[in-house]
Amino acid sequence: MKKINIGLFGFGVVGEGIYKVLEEKPQLNATIKRIVIKDSSKTRNAPSALFSTNADDILNDDEINVVLELISDADAAHDIIKKAFNKRKHVVSANKKLIAAHHKELLDLQEQNKVSFLYEASVCGSVPIIRNLEEYFDNDLLNYVSGIVNGTTNYILTKMANENESYQDALKAAQENGFAEVDPTADVEGYDAASKLAIITLHAFGKKIEVQDVIRKGITSLKMEDFKYAKEKDYTIKLIANSKINHQTGEITSTVLPTFVELNKTIALVNNEYNGVLIGSSLSDEQFLYGKGAGRFPTSSAVLSDISALKYDYKYSIRKYENEKKGVFNETGKRRVYIGFESQADDVSSFFEEIEERYQSKNYNHIVGVIDIEKLKQKEIIENTNLSIIAFE
């Protein structure tokens, strides 16, 4: 592709950042020709002639060959991307919720229309996880992908673990620093990480897991007593997204869980808004990717990387993707976990197949033991806000 003419949907902090970079770097040979926004009354830091509220001004413009989708409304983004594909336009997106929900459909549409669909920015900010899984690990037998994929929760957990801040104070600091939204639910309840893990799982193992099938627990139930326990045992607590495959059965276990991490482990050193991902394989053992995962500039960096790749007609080959073969997810296996609870009425001993440790006090209690995956994924357990559920690595 010699010249990239971009139609941009959305002009928030990332969209404006991309516009400025492209204006300052003509060597990228990419120009934003039109920007579609929702609210035309706002003052924008770009010429007014670029803006429109009509999506067709981009979709029906034959000179625009790349659609850059940076809006928050997943349903509207889904409609835009489908129409862009049918108009034979390449698409770059950062919308992890949309992609995780419609991954298979969008991959099929890009193939049918022979265009590129790139979305590195949807997963780990500036960390090039998808490109690595697609290219470097294409022929290697992967065993697992595991790590911190949400910078907001990692920032909050760092404050709680290292500075003894309460959850509310840590969340407030994350919001003040631009790492957490006014409504942080998607991040702190683990939905964002689950969407990212669904995308990663397809690129790692070629199998599509639905977001709702990821065993997910956020960080809002964690108490300071849990962090005291972690400190006593030389652990820290991280929200870990993990997908691992049993090569004998083909079953994949995909979880997003607060996890005790030994302080001497690489992932324990990933703090604040940074992301860190471990890729385990049969040939190259373990690789570690690290970088900023939250904020304007990391996302902009990944988007620009995808735009630049289009100059070379790059597309994800997705050679591992088995379109017609359904994966087997989270059906068997056991997990060693800690469950903390305040009230004796919440006694959780019946959840465990094997109890290793039990602690009772007037104000707080915990049990450590082995629990079956089938039991762990039950909503009355995993979604119980009275329970701190923390896995062991």
Side-chain angles (χ1 to χ4, degrees):
M1 190 186 302
K2 290 181 179 180
K3 173 68 175 174
I4 296 177
N5 291 316
I6 298 170
L8 171 61
F9 284 90
F11 201 69
V13 290
V14 176
E16 184 177 333
I18 295 294
Y19 169 76
K20 287 180 178 178
V21 170
L22 293 180
E23 285 287 294
E24 295 166 2
K25 294 187 180 297
Q27 64 269 30
L28 291 175
N29 203 24
T31 303
I32 293 179
K33 190 169 185 288
R34 177 72 72 176
I35 304 168
V36 166
I37 51 174
K38 194 173 182 180
D39 183 359
S40 60
S41 65
K42 290 183 182 178
T43 302
R44 317 277 177 174
N45 293 320
S48 58
L50 282 175
F51 293 96
S52 169
T53 56
N54 185 355
D56 288 339
D57 287 344
I58 287 177
L59 297 171
N60 291 335
D61 188 334
D62 292 336
E63 290 185 4
I64 292 175
N65 49 15
V66 175
V67 165
L68 176 52
E69 181 278 305
L70 296 175
I71 64 176
S72 57
D73 185 334
D75 292 332
H78 181 217
D79 186 56
I80 287 164
I81 292 175
K82 286 196 300 181
K83 288 178 178 177
F85 283 153
N86 289 328
K87 293 283 187 176
R88 301 293 197 275
K89 298 182 191 297
H90 305 285
V91 175
V92 173
S93 175
N95 199 321
K96 81 279 293 186
K97 182 180 177 182
L98 155 76
I99 296 164
H102 301 284
H103 210 169
K104 181 180 179 299
E105 175 197 10
L106 297 176
L107 291 176
D108 290 346
L109 276 173
Q110 73 146 357
E111 189 62 33
Q112 290 167 20
N113 291 288
K114 304 200 181 314
V115 291
S116 293
F117 179 36
L118 304 181
Y119 41 85
E120 190 70 67
S122 69
V123 178
C124 289
S126 62
V127 183
I129 179 66
I130 296 177
R131 200 81 60 87
N132 271 279
L133 290 172
E134 276 294 305
E135 307 301 330
Y136 187 79
F137 292 101
D138 175 45
N139 296 309
D140 203 345
L141 194 61
L142 293 185
N143 299 321
Y144 61 85
V145 181
S146 178
I148 297 163
V149 300
N150 182 277
T152 301
T153 51
N154 201 45
Y155 183 91
I156 293 169
L157 291 175
T158 300
K159 290 280 187 185
M160 294 178 75
N162 297 356
E163 300 176 28
N164 297 317
E165 288 195 7
S166 68
Y167 168 76
Q168 289 299 335
D169 286 345
L171 171 60
K172 184 180 178 184
Q175 290 170 326
E176 289 172 349
N177 283 283
F179 301 132
E181 302 289 343
V182 175
D183 179 1
T185 304
D187 292 316
V188 298
E189 294 295 356
Y191 294 107
D192 176 84
S195 292
K196 292 171 179 176
L197 186 63
I199 296 168
I200 287 171
T201 299
L202 185 139
H203 286 277
F205 305 119
K207 299 290 193 300
K208 173 73 177 78
I209 183 172
E210 301 301 329
V211 177
Q212 62 267 26
D213 293 331
V214 174
I215 298 174
R216 173 199 54 79
K217 179 77 171 177
I219 66 171
T220 54
S221 299
L222 297 178
K223 306 289 190 299
M224 291 314 298
E225 288 85 353
D226 306 322
F227 288 88
K228 289 175 186 174
Y229 176 88
K231 193 166 287 187
E232 288 171 6
K233 304 291 185 181
D234 289 328
Y235 293 126
T236 189
I237 300 174
K238 300 291 186 184
L239 186 68
I240 299 293
N242 180 287
S243 268
K244 62 180 179 180
I245 189 167
N246 182 324
H247 287 295
Q248 291 184 322
T249 65
E251 182 178 355
I252 297 168
T253 304
S254 294
T255 60
V256 171
L257 296 170
T259 303
F260 290 122
V261 180
E262 294 178 21
L263 292 175
N264 61 356
K265 294 292 182 70
T266 305
I267 208 73
L269 303 175
V270 180
N271 287 319
N272 297 315
E273 72 273 24
Y274 283 80
N275 284 186
V277 181
L278 296 162
I279 302 173
S281 71
S282 301
L283 301 179
S284 55
D285 195 11
E286 188 173 80
Q287 304 288 322
F288 177 59
L289 300 175
Y290 171 80
K292 281 195 174 183
R296 169 183 187 171
F297 297 111
T299 304
S300 299
S301 169
V303 169
L304 282 169
S305 176
D306 281 345
I307 292 172
S308 180
L310 286 174
K311 288 197 302 182
Y312 310 102
D313 298 317
Y314 178 78
K315 67 185 297 184
Y316 301 138
S317 53
I318 322 187
R319 287 180 280 269
K320 302 171 198 169
Y321 176 39
E322 298 180 46
N323 191 351
E324 304 301 327
K325 194 172 180 181
K326 187 173 175 60
V328 178
F329 299 96
N330 294 336
E331 290 190 2
T332 62
K334 304 178 189 304
R335 196 74 190 261
R336 184 170 177 249
V337 300
Y338 158 112
I339 300 183
F341 51 102
E342 292 178 337
S343 170
Q344 290 295 337
D346 289 319
D347 183 30
V348 295
S349 3
S350 61
F351 299 164
F352 290 86
E353 288 197 357
E354 175 187 334
I355 293 177
E356 301 174 14
E357 176 185 327
R358 185 195 295 267
Y359 171 80
Q360 288 181 286
S361 73
K362 183 179 179 182
N363 299 317
Y364 204 68
N365 317 275
H366 74 252
I367 295 177
V368 173
V370 176
I371 188 169
D372 191 273
I373 284 289
E374 278 291 332
K375 179 79 75 171
L376 181 62
K377 69 184 182 184
Q378 291 177 10
K379 287 188 176 182
E380 58 267 30
I381 298 175
I382 201 73
E383 294 183 5
N384 188 332
T385 57
N386 295 326
L387 305 180
S388 289
I389 299 177
I390 309 173
F392 290 84
E393 279 190 300

Short mmCIF file of all heavy atoms in Angstrom, two decimals, residues 127-148:
data_model
loop_
_atom_site.label_atom_id
_atom_site.label_comp_id
_atom_site.label_asym_id
_atom_site.label_seq_id
_atom_site.Cartn_x
_atom_site.Cartn_y
_atom_site.Cartn_z
N VAL A 127 2.81 -3.31 24.46
CA VAL A 127 3.46 -4.63 24.45
C VAL A 127 2.98 -5.40 23.21
O VAL A 127 1.80 -5.70 23.08
CB VAL A 127 3.11 -5.43 25.72
CG1 VAL A 127 3.84 -6.76 25.72
CG2 VAL A 127 3.46 -4.63 26.97
N PRO A 128 3.88 -5.76 22.29
CA PRO A 128 3.47 -6.39 21.03
C PRO A 128 3.20 -7.89 21.17
O PRO A 128 3.86 -8.72 20.56
CB PRO A 128 4.67 -6.13 20.11
CG PRO A 128 5.85 -6.13 21.05
CD PRO A 128 5.34 -5.53 22.34
N ILE A 129 2.19 -8.24 21.93
CA ILE A 129 1.91 -9.64 22.21
C ILE A 129 1.32 -10.37 20.99
O ILE A 129 1.73 -11.48 20.65
CB ILE A 129 0.99 -9.79 23.44
CG1 ILE A 129 0.67 -11.24 23.73
CG2 ILE A 129 -0.28 -8.98 23.31
CD1 ILE A 129 1.83 -12.06 24.16
N ILE A 130 0.38 -9.75 20.29
CA ILE A 130 -0.26 -10.44 19.16
C ILE A 130 0.74 -10.69 18.05
O ILE A 130 0.82 -11.79 17.48
CB ILE A 130 -1.48 -9.64 18.64
CG1 ILE A 130 -2.55 -9.56 19.72
CG2 ILE A 130 -2.05 -10.30 17.39
CD1 ILE A 130 -3.75 -8.74 19.34
N ARG A 131 1.51 -9.68 17.72
CA ARG A 131 2.51 -9.83 16.64
C ARG A 131 3.51 -10.94 16.97
O ARG A 131 3.92 -11.70 16.12
CB ARG A 131 3.21 -8.49 16.43
CG ARG A 131 3.91 -8.33 15.09
CD ARG A 131 2.92 -7.93 13.99
NE ARG A 131 2.22 -6.68 14.22
CZ ARG A 131 2.68 -5.48 13.88
NH1 ARG A 131 3.87 -5.35 13.33
NH2 ARG A 131 1.96 -4.40 14.09
N ASN A 132 3.91 -11.03 18.23
CA ASN A 132 4.84 -12.08 18.64
C ASN A 132 4.21 -13.46 18.54
O ASN A 132 4.84 -14.41 18.07
CB ASN A 132 5.34 -11.83 20.06
CG ASN A 132 6.58 -10.96 20.09
OD1 ASN A 132 7.69 -11.43 19.88
ND2 ASN A 132 6.39 -9.68 20.34
N LEU A 133 2.97 -13.59 19.00
CA LEU A 133 2.29 -14.88 18.91
C LEU A 133 2.08 -15.29 17.46
O LEU A 133 2.16 -16.47 17.11
CB LEU A 133 0.94 -14.82 19.63
CG LEU A 133 1.00 -14.71 21.16
CD1 LEU A 133 -0.39 -14.46 21.73
CD2 LEU A 133 1.61 -15.96 21.78
N GLU A 134 1.82 -14.31 16.59
CA GLU A 134 1.57 -14.59 15.18
C GLU A 134 2.84 -14.96 14.41
O GLU A 134 2.83 -15.84 13.57
CB GLU A 134 0.93 -13.36 14.52
CG GLU A 134 -0.55 -13.28 14.70
CD GLU A 134 -1.27 -14.39 13.97
OE1 GLU A 134 -1.07 -14.56 12.76
OE2 GLU A 134 -2.02 -15.12 14.64
N GLU A 135 3.93 -14.26 14.70
CA GLU A 135 5.13 -14.41 13.89
C GLU A 135 6.20 -15.26 14.57
O GLU A 135 6.57 -16.32 14.10
CB GLU A 135 5.70 -13.03 13.55
CG GLU A 135 4.70 -12.08 12.91
CD GLU A 135 4.11 -12.62 11.62
OE1 GLU A 135 4.81 -13.37 10.91
OE2 GLU A 135 2.94 -12.28 11.32
N TYR A 136 6.68 -14.81 15.72
CA TYR A 136 7.80 -15.49 16.36
C TYR A 136 7.42 -16.87 16.84
O TYR A 136 8.20 -17.82 16.76
CB TYR A 136 8.32 -14.64 17.52
CG TYR A 136 9.59 -15.18 18.14
CD1 TYR A 136 10.83 -14.96 17.54
CD2 TYR A 136 9.55 -15.93 19.32
CE1 TYR A 136 11.98 -15.47 18.10
CE2 TYR A 136 10.70 -16.45 19.87
CZ TYR A 136 11.92 -16.21 19.26
OH TYR A 136 13.07 -16.72 19.81
N PHE A 137 6.21 -17.00 17.39
CA PHE A 137 5.79 -18.28 17.96
C PHE A 137 4.85 -19.05 17.05
O PHE A 137 4.13 -19.93 17.49
CB PHE A 137 5.11 -18.05 19.32
CG PHE A 137 6.05 -17.55 20.38
CD1 PHE A 137 6.08 -16.22 20.72
CD2 PHE A 137 6.92 -18.42 21.03
CE1 PHE A 137 6.94 -15.74 21.69
CE2 PHE A 137 7.78 -17.96 22.00
CZ PHE A 137 7.80 -16.62 22.33
N ASP A 138 4.90 -18.75 15.77
CA ASP A 138 3.97 -19.39 14.83
C ASP A 138 4.14 -20.91 14.80
O ASP A 138 3.19 -21.66 14.78
CB ASP A 138 4.19 -18.81 13.42
CG ASP A 138 3.34 -19.51 12.39
OD1 ASP A 138 2.16 -19.73 12.67
OD2 ASP A 138 3.87 -19.86 11.32
N ASN A 139 5.40 -21.38 14.80
CA ASN A 139 5.64 -22.81 14.66
C ASN A 139 6.08 -23.48 15.96
O ASN A 139 6.34 -24.68 15.99
CB ASN A 139 6.72 -23.05 13.59
CG ASN A 139 6.25 -22.59 12.23
OD1 ASN A 139 5.17 -22.96 11.81
ND2 ASN A 139 7.03 -21.76 11.57
N ASP A 140 6.19 -22.71 17.03
CA ASP A 140 6.60 -23.26 18.31
C ASP A 140 5.36 -23.81 19.03
O ASP A 140 4.26 -23.29 18.89
CB ASP A 140 7.25 -22.16 19.16
CG ASP A 140 8.18 -22.72 20.22
OD1 ASP A 140 8.10 -23.93 20.48
OD2 ASP A 140 8.98 -21.95 20.77
N LEU A 141 5.57 -24.87 19.78
CA LEU A 141 4.47 -25.48 20.51
C LEU A 141 4.28 -24.75 21.84
O LEU A 141 5.02 -24.97 22.80
CB LEU A 141 4.77 -26.97 20.76
CG LEU A 141 3.61 -27.85 21.22
CD1 LEU A 141 2.49 -27.86 20.17
CD2 LEU A 141 4.09 -29.27 21.48
N LEU A 142 3.29 -23.88 21.87
CA LEU A 142 3.06 -23.08 23.08
C LEU A 142 2.34 -23.89 24.15
O LEU A 142 1.45 -24.69 23.85
CB LEU A 142 2.22 -21.85 22.75
CG LEU A 142 2.87 -20.78 21.86
CD1 LEU A 142 1.95 -19.59 21.73
CD2 LEU A 142 4.20 -20.36 22.42
N ASN A 143 2.74 -23.67 25.40
CA ASN A 143 2.11 -24.33 26.54
C ASN A 143 1.20 -23.39 27.31
O ASN A 143 0.17 -23.81 27.82
CB ASN A 143 3.18 -24.88 27.48
CG ASN A 143 4.07 -25.90 26.81
OD1 ASN A 143 3.60 -26.71 26.02
ND2 ASN A 143 5.37 -25.85 27.09
N TYR A 144 1.59 -22.12 27.42
CA TYR A 144 0.76 -21.18 28.16
C TYR A 144 1.13 -19.75 27.79
O TYR A 144 2.21 -19.46 27.29
CB TYR A 144 0.94 -21.36 29.68
CG TYR A 144 2.36 -21.13 30.18
CD1 TYR A 144 2.84 -19.86 30.49
CD2 TYR A 144 3.23 -22.21 30.32
CE1 TYR A 144 4.13 -19.65 30.94
CE2 TYR A 144 4.53 -22.02 30.77
CZ TYR A 144 4.98 -20.74 31.08
OH TYR A 144 6.27 -20.55 31.50
N VAL A 145 0.18 -18.84 28.03
CA VAL A 145 0.41 -17.40 28.00
C VAL A 145 -0.19 -16.87 29.30
O VAL A 145 -1.34 -17.15 29.62
CB VAL A 145 -0.26 -16.72 26.80
CG1 VAL A 145 0.03 -15.23 26.80
CG2 VAL A 145 0.22 -17.34 25.49
N SER A 146 0.61 -16.14 30.06
CA SER A 146 0.17 -15.74 31.40
C SER A 146 0.75 -14.38 31.76
O SER A 146 1.91 -14.11 31.45
CB SER A 146 0.64 -16.79 32.42
OG SER A 146 0.28 -16.43 33.73
N GLY A 147 -0.05 -13.55 32.41
CA GLY A 147 0.54 -12.29 32.84
C GLY A 147 -0.46 -11.24 33.24
O GLY A 147 -1.66 -11.49 33.42
N ILE A 148 0.06 -10.03 33.36
CA ILE A 148 -0.71 -8.85 33.74
C ILE A 148 -1.07 -8.10 32.47
O ILE A 148 -0.20 -7.60 31.76
CB ILE A 148 0.12 -7.95 34.67
CG1 ILE A 148 0.44 -8.70 35.98
CG2 ILE A 148 -0.60 -6.64 34.96
CD1 ILE A 148 1.58 -8.09 36.76
#
